[in-house]
Amino acid sequence: MPYERKSPRPPRYDHAQAIADLSAADPKLGKLIARVGPFTMKLASAQSPFEALLESIVYQQLHGKAAATIHRRLIEGFYPLVGEGIHPSPQHLLDCPNEQLRAAGLSHNKALAVRDLAAKTLDGTVPTLAHIRRMSDEAIIEHLTQVRGIGKWTVEMMLIFRLGRPNVLPVDDYGVRKGFALTFGKLKPTDKVTPGDLPKPDEMRKRAKRWQPWCSVATWYLYRACDLATEEAKLAK
């Protein structure tokens, strides 16, 4: 049996209240919310930080299908040791030979990142799930970006889509910046995006002050603005 995660679930915060607050505080964002419709975001299964970051490292710079295959091979390579359907521990990752990691499809740099993740999980730099749930967003970013190959954006995605934190705005994310330009700037769905079309982080943070404490919900809708633009551009052809 392959390694299976629990089914996705909605975040625990009150997203109906979030939508009401955002629409009242920012009418332009409210128009986007009305166009998109219900907030249907689901959280990825409650993996441990180690498991979630291991998957993030594997998926970096790869298409989803290829990354999923490598991730599956990596986990299944430990079945003779840990049992079928069981995720390997950090110690298992540290103890395994390099050949095993490379055979799964990991590059040299990703193999080094996986080992660093395992070591920093064992020394406590990467907290347990129970501990991380009690930490602030800023403290989580500070801890997890100490791992080789893990940047701020990766942790922000984890905060929004795995931990269900309600107030995260990834200002360096291309999709969020494009959604912001489509919603608040002059960018049209049929326009070819240039760097000058995209907002600067300070501009986004300034507007996002009115979105507090629901920036994660606003972020999800900015992603959907990109989806709407893609659909409209197709219809315009």
Side-chain angles (χ1 to χ4, degrees):
M1 134 179 117
Y3 172 66
E4 294 184 358
R5 294 177 296 179
K6 295 178 182 177
S7 299
R9 56 181 174 80
R12 294 178 179 174
Y13 52 77
D14 188 343
H15 47 84
Q17 184 65 54
I19 288 169
D21 291 348
L22 289 169
S23 298
D26 191 333
K28 278 193 175 181
L29 182 62
K31 288 181 180 179
L32 171 64
I33 290 171
R35 286 178 62 213
V36 172
F39 180 74
T40 58
M41 189 183 92
K42 295 289 191 294
L43 300 183
S45 59
Q47 297 166 295
S48 70
F50 167 71
E51 293 170 2
L53 292 174
L54 177 66
E55 186 172 342
S56 293
I57 289 170
V58 171
Y59 271 70
Q60 285 171 359
Q61 299 174 321
L62 289 175
H63 291 294
K65 191 172 182 181
T69 299
I70 293 171
H71 184 251
R72 176 180 52 78
R73 285 178 187 160
L74 176 63
I75 302 303
E76 289 178 354
F78 289 92
Y79 282 3
L81 190 63
V82 303
E84 194 172 358
I86 306 298
H87 196 287
S89 70
Q91 193 66 55
H92 290 132
L93 266 293
L94 275 184
D95 292 343
C96 78
N98 281 326
E99 292 75 18
Q100 181 176 341
L101 300 180
R102 299 305 295 275
L106 291 183
S107 66
H108 175 68
N109 283 336
K110 286 191 179 182
L112 290 175
V114 162
R115 290 193 187 279
D116 189 54
L117 169 64
K120 285 188 167 64
T121 300
L122 290 171
D123 73 15
T125 302
V126 176
T128 63
L129 185 59
H131 186 195
I132 213 168
R133 282 174 171 159
R134 299 193 297 271
M135 294 169 64
S136 69
D137 296 347
E138 294 75 17
I140 293 170
I141 291 170
E142 180 183 349
H143 273 255
L144 300 188
T145 52
Q146 294 178 55
V147 176
R148 179 186 179 115
I150 298 297
K152 184 180 179 183
W153 177 85
T154 298
V155 183
E156 288 172 334
M157 294 300 102
M158 182 177 173
L159 288 169
I160 296 172
F161 296 108
R162 294 187 186 277
L163 297 176
R165 294 298 176 96
N167 199 35
V168 180
L169 180 69
V171 295
D172 297 316
D173 184 281
Y174 176 81
V176 176
R177 295 174 72 198
K178 181 181 176 183
F180 190 100
L182 286 163
T183 306
F184 306 108
K186 297 179 180 179
L187 186 66
K188 300 293 187 290
T190 54
D191 290 345
K192 183 176 180 180
V193 183
T194 67
D197 293 318
L198 299 176
K200 298 289 190 294
D202 285 347
E203 179 187 351
M204 297 174 69
R205 292 190 188 101
K206 182 178 179 181
R207 188 170 196 105
K209 287 179 180 178
R210 65 181 85 179
W211 302 345
Q212 308 278 352
W214 306 115
C215 285
S216 297
V217 179
T219 292
W220 186 86
Y221 276 100
L222 293 178
Y223 282 133
R224 303 289 77 73
C226 297
D227 296 339
L228 288 177
T230 299
E231 293 171 8
E232 288 178 29
K234 287 179 180 177
L235 291 173
K237 288 183 179 180

